[in-house]
Every structure is written in C-alpha cells, then in structure tokens.
Short mmCIF file of all heavy atoms in Angstrom, two decimals:
data_model
loop_
_atom_site.label_atom_id
_atom_site.label_comp_id
_atom_site.label_asym_id
_atom_site.label_seq_id
_atom_site.Cartn_x
_atom_site.Cartn_y
_atom_site.Cartn_z
N MET B 1 -0.83 -8.03 -21.69
CA MET B 1 -2.29 -8.15 -21.75
C MET B 1 -2.65 -9.58 -22.35
O MET B 1 -3.46 -10.27 -22.00
CB MET B 1 -2.83 -7.03 -22.58
CG MET B 1 -4.33 -6.91 -22.46
SD MET B 1 -5.04 -5.39 -23.12
CE MET B 1 -4.71 -5.45 -24.86
N GLU B 2 -1.89 -9.85 -23.38
CA GLU B 2 -2.12 -11.16 -24.16
C GLU B 2 -1.66 -12.30 -23.38
O GLU B 2 -2.27 -13.39 -23.41
CB GLU B 2 -1.55 -11.09 -25.49
CG GLU B 2 -2.06 -10.03 -26.53
CD GLU B 2 -1.18 -10.01 -27.74
OE1 GLU B 2 -0.27 -10.66 -27.90
OE2 GLU B 2 -1.58 -8.98 -28.49
N LEU B 3 -0.71 -12.18 -22.46
CA LEU B 3 -0.20 -13.28 -21.80
C LEU B 3 -0.85 -13.40 -20.50
O LEU B 3 -0.68 -14.59 -19.92
CB LEU B 3 1.41 -12.96 -21.51
CG LEU B 3 2.21 -12.96 -22.75
CD1 LEU B 3 3.66 -12.58 -22.44
CD2 LEU B 3 2.14 -14.19 -23.61
N ASN B 4 -1.56 -12.58 -19.93
CA ASN B 4 -2.25 -12.58 -18.66
C ASN B 4 -3.67 -13.07 -18.83
O ASN B 4 -4.59 -12.20 -19.21
CB ASN B 4 -2.00 -11.35 -17.99
CG ASN B 4 -2.64 -11.44 -16.54
OD1 ASN B 4 -3.22 -12.29 -16.19
ND2 ASN B 4 -2.24 -10.44 -15.66
N ASP B 5 -3.99 -14.22 -18.36
CA ASP B 5 -5.39 -14.66 -18.60
C ASP B 5 -6.43 -13.89 -17.75
O ASP B 5 -7.53 -13.73 -18.02
CB ASP B 5 -5.50 -16.31 -18.21
CG ASP B 5 -4.60 -17.12 -19.11
OD1 ASP B 5 -4.52 -16.82 -20.29
OD2 ASP B 5 -4.41 -18.27 -18.65
N ASP B 6 -5.89 -13.31 -16.59
CA ASP B 6 -6.72 -12.70 -15.75
C ASP B 6 -6.94 -11.15 -16.06
O ASP B 6 -7.54 -10.45 -15.31
CB ASP B 6 -6.18 -12.87 -14.22
CG ASP B 6 -6.26 -14.25 -13.71
OD1 ASP B 6 -7.26 -14.91 -14.14
OD2 ASP B 6 -5.41 -14.61 -12.89
N TYR B 7 -6.22 -10.71 -17.00
CA TYR B 7 -6.20 -9.25 -17.27
C TYR B 7 -7.54 -8.63 -17.54
O TYR B 7 -7.86 -7.65 -16.75
CB TYR B 7 -5.31 -8.98 -18.59
CG TYR B 7 -5.19 -7.50 -18.81
CD1 TYR B 7 -4.19 -6.83 -18.16
CD2 TYR B 7 -6.07 -6.88 -19.74
CE1 TYR B 7 -4.16 -5.35 -18.56
CE2 TYR B 7 -6.00 -5.47 -19.96
CZ TYR B 7 -4.95 -4.74 -19.38
OH TYR B 7 -4.80 -3.45 -19.78
N ALA B 8 -8.42 -9.32 -18.41
CA ALA B 8 -9.79 -8.77 -18.54
C ALA B 8 -10.63 -8.82 -17.36
O ALA B 8 -11.30 -7.83 -17.00
CB ALA B 8 -10.47 -9.61 -19.65
N VAL B 9 -10.50 -9.95 -16.49
CA VAL B 9 -11.29 -9.99 -15.28
C VAL B 9 -10.87 -8.86 -14.30
O VAL B 9 -11.67 -8.21 -13.77
CB VAL B 9 -11.08 -11.30 -14.65
CG1 VAL B 9 -11.77 -11.42 -13.24
CG2 VAL B 9 -11.64 -12.39 -15.52
N GLU B 10 -9.61 -8.73 -14.19
CA GLU B 10 -9.09 -7.71 -13.12
C GLU B 10 -9.47 -6.37 -13.66
O GLU B 10 -9.87 -5.46 -12.85
CB GLU B 10 -7.63 -7.66 -13.19
CG GLU B 10 -7.09 -9.09 -12.60
CD GLU B 10 -7.35 -9.22 -11.17
OE1 GLU B 10 -7.72 -8.30 -10.47
OE2 GLU B 10 -7.45 -10.53 -10.83
N ARG B 11 -9.49 -5.91 -14.97
CA ARG B 11 -9.71 -4.56 -15.44
C ARG B 11 -11.22 -4.39 -15.46
O ARG B 11 -11.71 -3.32 -15.22
CB ARG B 11 -9.22 -4.34 -16.88
CG ARG B 11 -7.77 -4.49 -16.96
CD ARG B 11 -7.20 -3.23 -16.24
NE ARG B 11 -5.75 -3.19 -16.35
CZ ARG B 11 -4.89 -3.30 -15.29
NH1 ARG B 11 -5.23 -3.29 -14.13
NH2 ARG B 11 -3.66 -3.30 -15.42
N LYS B 12 -12.16 -5.30 -15.64
CA LYS B 12 -13.50 -5.12 -15.76
C LYS B 12 -14.25 -5.33 -14.44
O LYS B 12 -15.24 -4.72 -14.26
CB LYS B 12 -14.11 -6.14 -16.80
CG LYS B 12 -13.66 -5.82 -18.25
CD LYS B 12 -14.22 -6.76 -19.14
CE LYS B 12 -13.59 -6.55 -20.58
NZ LYS B 12 -14.07 -7.59 -21.48
N SER B 13 -13.63 -6.09 -13.50
CA SER B 13 -14.45 -6.51 -12.34
C SER B 13 -13.72 -6.09 -11.05
O SER B 13 -14.30 -5.48 -10.15
CB SER B 13 -14.81 -8.00 -12.32
OG SER B 13 -15.53 -8.37 -13.43
N ALA B 14 -12.47 -6.59 -10.89
CA ALA B 14 -11.78 -6.50 -9.66
C ALA B 14 -11.37 -5.03 -9.34
O ALA B 14 -11.21 -4.72 -8.20
CB ALA B 14 -10.58 -7.51 -9.62
N LEU B 15 -10.95 -4.33 -10.34
CA LEU B 15 -10.26 -3.08 -10.01
C LEU B 15 -11.33 -1.93 -10.16
O LEU B 15 -11.09 -1.02 -11.02
CB LEU B 15 -9.11 -2.94 -10.98
CG LEU B 15 -8.02 -3.78 -10.81
CD1 LEU B 15 -6.96 -3.60 -11.86
CD2 LEU B 15 -7.35 -3.72 -9.39
N LYS B 16 -12.29 -1.97 -9.41
CA LYS B 16 -13.36 -0.93 -9.41
C LYS B 16 -13.26 -0.02 -8.16
O LYS B 16 -12.88 -0.50 -7.05
CB LYS B 16 -14.77 -1.62 -9.40
CG LYS B 16 -15.12 -2.41 -10.58
CD LYS B 16 -15.28 -1.51 -11.78
CE LYS B 16 -15.76 -2.45 -12.95
NZ LYS B 16 -15.81 -1.67 -14.20
N GLU B 17 -13.60 1.20 -8.42
CA GLU B 17 -13.60 2.16 -7.20
C GLU B 17 -12.41 2.19 -6.54
O GLU B 17 -12.31 2.04 -5.15
CB GLU B 17 -14.75 1.94 -6.41
CG GLU B 17 -16.15 2.20 -7.03
CD GLU B 17 -17.27 2.14 -6.13
OE1 GLU B 17 -17.13 2.69 -5.03
OE2 GLU B 17 -18.13 1.63 -6.52
N ILE B 18 -11.13 2.43 -7.03
CA ILE B 18 -9.86 2.52 -6.53
C ILE B 18 -9.65 3.92 -6.26
O ILE B 18 -9.75 4.80 -7.14
CB ILE B 18 -8.78 1.83 -7.31
CG1 ILE B 18 -9.04 0.45 -7.42
CG2 ILE B 18 -7.45 2.14 -6.62
CD1 ILE B 18 -8.02 -0.41 -8.30
N TYR B 19 -9.22 4.24 -5.02
CA TYR B 19 -9.02 5.68 -4.65
C TYR B 19 -7.39 5.70 -4.22
O TYR B 19 -6.95 4.83 -3.54
CB TYR B 19 -9.85 6.18 -3.51
CG TYR B 19 -11.17 6.11 -3.89
CD1 TYR B 19 -12.02 4.94 -3.73
CD2 TYR B 19 -11.87 7.19 -4.46
CE1 TYR B 19 -13.28 4.93 -4.01
CE2 TYR B 19 -13.14 7.22 -4.78
CZ TYR B 19 -13.89 6.03 -4.66
OH TYR B 19 -15.27 5.99 -4.98
N VAL B 20 -6.78 6.77 -4.70
CA VAL B 20 -5.32 6.91 -4.45
C VAL B 20 -5.05 8.11 -3.74
O VAL B 20 -5.58 9.34 -4.03
CB VAL B 20 -4.54 6.84 -5.83
CG1 VAL B 20 -3.15 7.09 -5.61
CG2 VAL B 20 -4.81 5.65 -6.56
N GLN B 21 -4.28 7.99 -2.74
CA GLN B 21 -3.83 9.22 -1.95
C GLN B 21 -2.22 9.12 -2.03
O GLN B 21 -1.55 8.26 -1.48
CB GLN B 21 -4.24 9.12 -0.53
CG GLN B 21 -3.69 10.33 0.36
CD GLN B 21 -4.15 10.20 1.72
OE1 GLN B 21 -4.82 9.27 2.18
NE2 GLN B 21 -3.80 11.23 2.48
N VAL B 22 -1.72 10.08 -2.67
CA VAL B 22 -0.18 10.22 -2.81
C VAL B 22 0.33 10.66 -1.52
O VAL B 22 -0.02 11.66 -0.85
CB VAL B 22 0.16 11.10 -3.93
CG1 VAL B 22 1.63 11.32 -4.13
CG2 VAL B 22 -0.49 10.67 -5.24
N LEU B 23 1.36 9.88 -1.09
CA LEU B 23 2.05 10.19 0.21
C LEU B 23 3.53 10.48 -0.17
O LEU B 23 4.05 10.02 -0.99
CB LEU B 23 2.03 8.98 1.28
CG LEU B 23 0.60 8.55 1.60
CD1 LEU B 23 0.85 7.19 2.38
CD2 LEU B 23 -0.21 9.57 2.30
N PRO B 24 4.13 11.38 0.79
CA PRO B 24 5.51 11.74 0.52
C PRO B 24 6.36 10.55 0.78
O PRO B 24 6.04 9.70 1.68
CB PRO B 24 5.85 12.86 1.54
CG PRO B 24 4.53 13.06 2.35
CD PRO B 24 3.45 12.12 1.80
N GLU B 25 7.47 10.39 0.20
CA GLU B 25 8.36 9.25 0.30
C GLU B 25 8.73 9.12 1.73
O GLU B 25 8.94 7.98 2.23
CB GLU B 25 9.67 9.48 -0.63
CG GLU B 25 10.63 8.37 -0.50
CD GLU B 25 11.81 8.45 -1.32
OE1 GLU B 25 11.75 9.28 -2.34
OE2 GLU B 25 12.87 8.01 -1.02
N GLU B 26 8.96 10.25 2.54
CA GLU B 26 9.41 10.15 3.83
C GLU B 26 8.50 9.34 4.77
O GLU B 26 8.93 8.80 5.73
CB GLU B 26 9.43 11.61 4.45
CG GLU B 26 10.51 12.44 3.86
CD GLU B 26 10.22 13.10 2.42
OE1 GLU B 26 8.85 13.16 2.14
OE2 GLU B 26 11.04 13.22 1.63
N LYS B 27 7.09 9.21 4.45
CA LYS B 27 6.20 8.40 5.14
C LYS B 27 6.52 6.94 5.09
O LYS B 27 6.55 6.34 6.05
CB LYS B 27 4.78 8.74 4.75
CG LYS B 27 4.27 10.06 5.07
CD LYS B 27 4.25 10.41 6.44
CE LYS B 27 3.79 11.95 6.77
NZ LYS B 27 4.20 12.20 8.13
N PHE B 28 6.80 6.56 3.91
CA PHE B 28 7.21 5.21 3.66
C PHE B 28 8.58 4.87 4.44
O PHE B 28 8.67 3.76 4.99
CB PHE B 28 7.34 4.76 2.22
CG PHE B 28 6.00 4.97 1.37
CD1 PHE B 28 5.77 6.11 0.80
CD2 PHE B 28 5.14 3.99 1.40
CE1 PHE B 28 4.57 6.30 0.06
CE2 PHE B 28 3.91 4.08 0.74
CZ PHE B 28 3.65 5.24 0.09
N MET B 29 9.52 5.80 4.28
CA MET B 29 10.78 5.54 5.01
C MET B 29 10.69 5.51 6.50
O MET B 29 11.25 4.72 7.20
CB MET B 29 11.74 6.63 4.60
CG MET B 29 12.07 6.64 3.12
SD MET B 29 12.73 5.09 2.44
CE MET B 29 14.35 5.16 3.12
N GLU B 30 9.84 6.24 7.02
CA GLU B 30 9.43 6.41 8.52
C GLU B 30 8.97 5.13 8.92
O GLU B 30 9.20 4.47 9.92
CB GLU B 30 8.61 7.64 8.79
CG GLU B 30 8.28 7.66 10.24
CD GLU B 30 9.56 7.89 11.27
OE1 GLU B 30 10.52 8.26 10.85
OE2 GLU B 30 9.32 7.80 12.52
N PHE B 31 7.93 4.55 8.24
CA PHE B 31 7.26 3.46 8.50
C PHE B 31 8.29 2.23 8.61
O PHE B 31 8.34 1.37 9.45
CB PHE B 31 6.13 3.01 7.50
CG PHE B 31 5.41 1.76 7.79
CD1 PHE B 31 4.59 1.49 8.95
CD2 PHE B 31 5.83 0.66 6.94
CE1 PHE B 31 4.04 0.25 9.08
CE2 PHE B 31 5.24 -0.56 7.08
CZ PHE B 31 4.31 -0.80 8.16
N MET B 32 9.14 2.10 7.54
CA MET B 32 10.16 1.09 7.51
C MET B 32 11.07 1.28 8.60
O MET B 32 11.52 0.19 9.24
CB MET B 32 10.95 1.17 6.16
CG MET B 32 10.04 0.73 4.94
SD MET B 32 9.24 -0.89 5.09
CE MET B 32 10.64 -1.88 4.67
N ARG B 33 11.55 2.46 9.02
CA ARG B 33 12.36 2.68 10.07
C ARG B 33 11.81 2.11 11.48
O ARG B 33 12.36 1.52 12.16
CB ARG B 33 12.73 4.09 10.27
CG ARG B 33 13.85 4.39 11.30
CD ARG B 33 13.93 5.92 11.59
NE ARG B 33 12.88 6.57 12.22
CZ ARG B 33 12.47 6.38 13.44
NH1 ARG B 33 13.14 5.58 14.29
NH2 ARG B 33 11.42 7.02 13.99
N LEU B 34 10.46 2.45 11.73
CA LEU B 34 9.83 1.92 12.81
C LEU B 34 9.78 0.34 12.76
O LEU B 34 9.52 -0.28 13.83
CB LEU B 34 8.54 2.51 12.85
CG LEU B 34 8.33 4.09 13.15
CD1 LEU B 34 7.03 4.57 13.02
CD2 LEU B 34 8.95 4.34 14.56
N GLN B 35 9.67 -0.20 11.65
CA GLN B 35 9.78 -1.66 11.56
C GLN B 35 11.13 -2.24 11.71
O GLN B 35 11.18 -3.47 11.71
CB GLN B 35 9.05 -2.10 10.09
CG GLN B 35 7.67 -1.64 9.90
CD GLN B 35 6.67 -2.26 10.79
OE1 GLN B 35 6.63 -3.49 11.02
NE2 GLN B 35 5.79 -1.41 11.50
N GLY B 36 12.08 -1.37 11.85
CA GLY B 36 13.41 -1.99 11.94
C GLY B 36 13.94 -2.46 10.62
O GLY B 36 14.91 -3.39 10.57
N LYS B 37 13.56 -1.98 9.53
CA LYS B 37 13.90 -2.39 8.14
C LYS B 37 14.41 -1.16 7.37
O LYS B 37 13.67 -0.75 6.40
CB LYS B 37 12.68 -3.06 7.48
CG LYS B 37 12.27 -4.33 8.17
CD LYS B 37 11.28 -5.11 7.50
CE LYS B 37 10.93 -6.27 8.43
NZ LYS B 37 10.41 -7.36 7.59
N VAL B 38 15.56 -0.70 7.74
CA VAL B 38 16.21 0.37 6.99
C VAL B 38 17.27 -0.16 6.19
O VAL B 38 18.07 -0.94 6.72
CB VAL B 38 16.59 1.49 8.02
CG1 VAL B 38 17.26 2.65 7.19
CG2 VAL B 38 15.36 2.07 8.71
N GLY B 39 17.51 0.30 4.97
CA GLY B 39 18.59 -0.12 4.24
C GLY B 39 18.26 -0.67 2.84
O GLY B 39 17.03 -0.90 2.48
N GLY B 40 19.23 -0.89 2.01
CA GLY B 40 18.96 -1.33 0.67
C GLY B 40 18.40 -2.69 0.50
O GLY B 40 17.85 -2.89 -0.48
N GLN B 41 18.48 -3.56 1.48
CA GLN B 41 17.91 -4.88 1.42
C GLN B 41 16.49 -4.89 1.77
O GLN B 41 15.86 -5.91 1.67
CB GLN B 41 18.85 -5.90 2.24
CG GLN B 41 20.16 -6.12 1.69
CD GLN B 41 20.33 -6.52 0.27
OE1 GLN B 41 19.57 -7.46 -0.03
NE2 GLN B 41 21.09 -5.87 -0.51
N HIS B 42 16.02 -3.88 2.38
CA HIS B 42 14.52 -3.81 2.87
C HIS B 42 13.72 -2.91 1.82
O HIS B 42 13.97 -1.68 1.76
CB HIS B 42 14.52 -3.32 4.33
CG HIS B 42 15.08 -4.21 5.08
ND1 HIS B 42 14.74 -5.34 5.58
CD2 HIS B 42 16.37 -4.09 5.77
CE1 HIS B 42 15.63 -6.04 6.44
NE2 HIS B 42 16.56 -5.30 6.59
N LYS B 43 12.79 -3.41 1.19
CA LYS B 43 11.86 -2.57 0.33
C LYS B 43 10.47 -2.59 0.86
O LYS B 43 10.02 -3.56 1.57
CB LYS B 43 11.73 -3.27 -1.02
CG LYS B 43 13.19 -3.74 -1.60
CD LYS B 43 13.94 -2.51 -2.16
CE LYS B 43 15.09 -2.84 -2.94
NZ LYS B 43 16.22 -3.38 -2.25
N PHE B 44 9.64 -1.51 0.66
CA PHE B 44 8.27 -1.47 1.09
C PHE B 44 7.64 -2.34 0.27
O PHE B 44 7.72 -2.47 -0.99
CB PHE B 44 7.78 -0.02 0.76
CG PHE B 44 6.51 0.25 1.52
CD1 PHE B 44 6.42 0.65 2.84
CD2 PHE B 44 5.34 0.06 0.94
CE1 PHE B 44 5.23 0.89 3.42
CE2 PHE B 44 4.16 0.27 1.43
CZ PHE B 44 4.10 0.53 2.81
N PRO B 45 6.71 -3.25 0.87
CA PRO B 45 6.06 -4.30 0.22
C PRO B 45 5.10 -3.74 -0.87
O PRO B 45 4.39 -2.69 -0.75
CB PRO B 45 5.25 -5.12 1.33
CG PRO B 45 5.61 -4.51 2.45
CD PRO B 45 6.52 -3.30 2.30
N ARG B 46 4.95 -4.47 -2.06
CA ARG B 46 4.02 -4.04 -2.97
C ARG B 46 2.58 -4.36 -2.76
O ARG B 46 1.59 -3.80 -3.13
CB ARG B 46 4.32 -4.67 -4.39
CG ARG B 46 5.59 -4.04 -4.82
CD ARG B 46 5.98 -4.63 -6.22
NE ARG B 46 7.36 -4.41 -6.77
CZ ARG B 46 7.69 -4.33 -7.95
NH1 ARG B 46 6.95 -4.70 -8.77
NH2 ARG B 46 8.97 -3.71 -8.18
N VAL B 47 2.36 -5.57 -1.91
CA VAL B 47 1.12 -5.92 -1.48
C VAL B 47 1.11 -6.01 -0.04
O VAL B 47 2.04 -6.63 0.58
CB VAL B 47 0.91 -7.48 -2.08
CG1 VAL B 47 -0.46 -7.89 -1.57
CG2 VAL B 47 0.81 -7.28 -3.62
N LEU B 48 0.18 -5.42 0.53
CA LEU B 48 0.13 -5.45 2.10
C LEU B 48 -1.06 -6.38 2.44
O LEU B 48 -2.26 -6.18 1.98
CB LEU B 48 -0.21 -4.02 2.55
CG LEU B 48 0.89 -2.96 2.23
CD1 LEU B 48 0.46 -1.58 2.72
CD2 LEU B 48 2.20 -3.37 3.11
N LYS B 49 -0.72 -7.26 3.41
CA LYS B 49 -1.76 -8.10 3.90
C LYS B 49 -1.33 -8.53 5.35
O LYS B 49 -0.28 -8.47 5.59
CB LYS B 49 -2.22 -9.20 3.00
CG LYS B 49 -1.13 -10.10 2.52
CD LYS B 49 -1.50 -11.07 1.60
CE LYS B 49 -0.33 -11.77 0.89
NZ LYS B 49 -0.78 -12.81 0.01
N GLY B 50 -2.41 -9.02 6.09
CA GLY B 50 -2.03 -9.55 7.45
C GLY B 50 -1.52 -8.44 8.43
O GLY B 50 -1.99 -7.43 8.36
N LYS B 51 -0.49 -8.82 9.11
CA LYS B 51 0.02 -7.92 10.13
C LYS B 51 0.56 -6.66 9.57
O LYS B 51 0.44 -5.65 10.12
CB LYS B 51 1.08 -8.76 10.98
CG LYS B 51 1.71 -7.93 12.18
CD LYS B 51 2.69 -8.73 12.87
CE LYS B 51 3.24 -7.91 14.00
NZ LYS B 51 3.48 -6.45 13.97
N ILE B 52 1.42 -6.80 8.45
CA ILE B 52 1.94 -5.61 7.97
C ILE B 52 0.93 -4.63 7.39
O ILE B 52 1.15 -3.38 7.57
CB ILE B 52 3.04 -5.92 6.78
CG1 ILE B 52 3.79 -4.53 6.37
CG2 ILE B 52 2.28 -6.47 5.52
CD1 ILE B 52 5.16 -4.74 6.65
N LEU B 53 -0.15 -5.04 6.91
CA LEU B 53 -1.30 -4.15 6.71
C LEU B 53 -1.96 -3.45 7.78
O LEU B 53 -2.10 -2.25 7.75
CB LEU B 53 -2.47 -4.96 5.88
CG LEU B 53 -3.64 -4.09 5.53
CD1 LEU B 53 -3.32 -3.00 4.56
CD2 LEU B 53 -4.74 -4.95 4.94
N LYS B 54 -2.10 -4.21 8.84
CA LYS B 54 -2.57 -3.66 10.07
C LYS B 54 -1.65 -2.67 10.64
O LYS B 54 -2.02 -1.46 11.17
CB LYS B 54 -2.93 -4.78 11.16
CG LYS B 54 -4.11 -5.51 10.72
CD LYS B 54 -4.43 -6.59 11.92
CE LYS B 54 -5.34 -7.61 11.40
NZ LYS B 54 -6.62 -7.60 11.38
N ASP B 55 -0.36 -2.83 10.64
CA ASP B 55 0.66 -2.02 11.09
C ASP B 55 0.71 -0.74 10.32
O ASP B 55 0.81 0.34 10.78
CB ASP B 55 2.09 -2.61 11.12
CG ASP B 55 2.21 -3.80 12.12
OD1 ASP B 55 1.44 -3.88 13.06
OD2 ASP B 55 3.12 -4.57 12.03
N TRP B 56 0.58 -0.94 9.06
CA TRP B 56 0.60 0.32 8.05
C TRP B 56 -0.63 1.16 8.40
O TRP B 56 -0.52 2.28 8.48
CB TRP B 56 0.58 -0.19 6.57
CG TRP B 56 0.45 0.79 5.58
CD1 TRP B 56 -0.50 1.05 4.58
CD2 TRP B 56 1.38 1.95 5.25
NE1 TRP B 56 -0.22 2.09 3.82
CE2 TRP B 56 0.91 2.74 4.25
CE3 TRP B 56 2.61 2.37 5.89
CZ2 TRP B 56 1.58 3.75 3.61
CZ3 TRP B 56 3.32 3.42 5.46
CH2 TRP B 56 2.75 4.10 4.36
N GLN B 57 -1.77 0.52 8.54
CA GLN B 57 -3.02 1.24 8.81
C GLN B 57 -2.89 2.05 10.12
O GLN B 57 -3.25 3.25 10.23
CB GLN B 57 -4.27 0.42 8.92
CG GLN B 57 -4.58 -0.12 7.50
CD GLN B 57 -5.69 -1.13 7.50
OE1 GLN B 57 -5.78 -2.00 8.39
NE2 GLN B 57 -6.59 -1.23 6.55
N LYS B 58 -2.26 1.48 11.11
CA LYS B 58 -2.17 2.10 12.49
C LYS B 58 -1.16 3.32 12.31
O LYS B 58 -1.40 4.36 12.88
CB LYS B 58 -1.56 1.11 13.56
CG LYS B 58 -2.65 0.07 13.93
CD LYS B 58 -2.06 -0.82 14.98
CE LYS B 58 -3.02 -1.98 15.38
NZ LYS B 58 -2.42 -2.96 16.26
N PHE B 59 -0.16 2.96 11.60
CA PHE B 59 0.83 4.09 11.32
C PHE B 59 0.20 5.32 10.63
O PHE B 59 0.42 6.36 11.01
CB PHE B 59 2.02 3.64 10.44
CG PHE B 59 2.93 4.67 9.94
CD1 PHE B 59 3.88 5.14 10.84
CD2 PHE B 59 2.94 5.12 8.61
CE1 PHE B 59 4.82 6.02 10.49
CE2 PHE B 59 3.72 6.11 8.14
CZ PHE B 59 4.77 6.56 9.08
N LEU B 60 -0.63 5.00 9.51
CA LEU B 60 -1.33 6.15 8.88
C LEU B 60 -2.24 6.89 9.81
O LEU B 60 -2.36 8.01 9.72
CB LEU B 60 -2.02 5.66 7.57
CG LEU B 60 -1.22 5.05 6.52
CD1 LEU B 60 -2.13 4.51 5.41
CD2 LEU B 60 -0.27 6.12 6.08
N GLU B 61 -2.96 6.15 10.62
CA GLU B 61 -3.96 6.77 11.60
C GLU B 61 -3.13 7.58 12.57
O GLU B 61 -3.57 8.74 12.84
CB GLU B 61 -4.67 5.73 12.26
CG GLU B 61 -5.74 4.99 11.43
CD GLU B 61 -6.29 3.84 12.07
OE1 GLU B 61 -5.94 3.49 13.25
OE2 GLU B 61 -7.16 3.13 11.45
N ALA B 62 -2.08 7.10 13.01
CA ALA B 62 -1.16 7.91 13.99
C ALA B 62 -0.70 9.18 13.40
O ALA B 62 -0.41 10.25 13.88
CB ALA B 62 0.03 6.97 14.50
N GLU B 63 -0.38 9.11 12.12
CA GLU B 63 0.25 10.23 11.31
C GLU B 63 -1.02 11.10 10.80
O GLU B 63 -0.74 12.05 9.99
CB GLU B 63 1.04 9.63 10.10
CG GLU B 63 2.15 8.93 10.45
CD GLU B 63 3.37 9.90 10.96
OE1 GLU B 63 3.55 10.96 10.36
OE2 GLU B 63 3.84 9.48 11.95
N ALA B 64 -2.27 10.90 11.15
CA ALA B 64 -3.31 11.58 10.72
C ALA B 64 -3.58 11.59 9.25
O ALA B 64 -4.07 12.52 8.56
CB ALA B 64 -3.42 13.03 11.18
N LEU B 65 -3.31 10.35 8.66
CA LEU B 65 -3.55 10.18 7.18
C LEU B 65 -4.54 8.99 7.13
O LEU B 65 -4.69 8.18 7.98
CB LEU B 65 -2.23 9.58 6.49
CG LEU B 65 -1.07 10.70 6.50
CD1 LEU B 65 0.08 10.07 6.08
CD2 LEU B 65 -1.40 11.80 5.78
N SER B 66 -5.45 9.06 6.14
CA SER B 66 -6.48 8.09 6.08
C SER B 66 -5.91 6.74 5.74
O SER B 66 -4.98 6.51 4.95
CB SER B 66 -7.42 8.39 4.85
OG SER B 66 -6.72 8.29 3.68
N PRO B 67 -6.40 5.70 6.52
CA PRO B 67 -5.90 4.21 6.20
C PRO B 67 -6.45 3.69 4.90
O PRO B 67 -7.41 4.30 4.25
CB PRO B 67 -6.54 3.50 7.33
CG PRO B 67 -7.64 4.33 7.88
CD PRO B 67 -7.37 5.71 7.50
N ILE B 68 -5.80 2.71 4.26
CA ILE B 68 -6.10 2.11 3.13
C ILE B 68 -7.64 1.65 3.27
O ILE B 68 -8.09 1.06 4.19
CB ILE B 68 -5.16 0.90 2.83
CG1 ILE B 68 -3.80 1.40 2.57
CG2 ILE B 68 -5.75 0.04 1.70
CD1 ILE B 68 -2.87 0.26 2.54
N GLY B 69 -8.32 1.83 2.13
CA GLY B 69 -9.70 1.24 2.11
C GLY B 69 -10.73 2.39 2.52
O GLY B 69 -11.95 2.17 2.18
N ASN B 70 -10.36 3.52 3.06
CA ASN B 70 -11.24 4.65 3.25
C ASN B 70 -11.29 5.67 2.20
O ASN B 70 -10.22 6.03 1.74
CB ASN B 70 -10.87 5.33 4.60
CG ASN B 70 -11.17 4.52 5.90
OD1 ASN B 70 -11.82 3.59 5.77
ND2 ASN B 70 -10.70 5.10 6.91
N LYS B 71 -12.46 5.97 1.79
CA LYS B 71 -12.56 7.01 0.65
C LYS B 71 -12.36 8.36 1.24
O LYS B 71 -12.67 8.68 2.37
CB LYS B 71 -13.98 6.94 0.15
CG LYS B 71 -14.24 5.70 -0.56
CD LYS B 71 -15.69 5.71 -1.11
CE LYS B 71 -16.10 4.35 -1.66
NZ LYS B 71 -17.54 4.30 -2.14
N GLN B 72 -11.89 9.23 0.38
CA GLN B 72 -11.71 10.68 0.81
C GLN B 72 -12.26 11.64 -0.27
O GLN B 72 -12.26 11.27 -1.29
CB GLN B 72 -10.34 11.02 1.05
CG GLN B 72 -9.68 10.48 2.36
CD GLN B 72 -8.87 11.45 3.11
OE1 GLN B 72 -8.60 12.56 2.60
NE2 GLN B 72 -8.57 11.04 4.32
#
C-alpha cells in the first residue's frame, strides 16, 4: 500500500461495483484446452483484453455462464 502510488485511487474510484462469479477449475482448463494451451508452460491470463477476452466471453456464453461484465 505504501509503495503503490495508485493504491488509493484504485480502492476509492476504479474498483467499484465488482461482481464475482466463482467457476470450477475445470472451466478454465477446458478453455485453455480449446485454445491449444495445455500444460505447465501455459497459464490462464490474470488480465483479459482484446481477442482473448472476446474468446473467453464466447466460451462462457456457450457454457451457459454469464460473461464478464454482466451483473447477476
């Protein structure tokens, strides 16, 4: 907290109305398998943007799970 200049801004402004849906680990593994990225050298990204975000959203929709950004 003391070392991060953006900490106060992120906590007070940027991180509002966050909704979390816990998914089983198998969903992440299945997504990575469909991406052709199975194995110890391939990790699920911590930040999703661009094409990978769209692919993840499509995967969730196909799995009948709510995509990122939708409230439940």
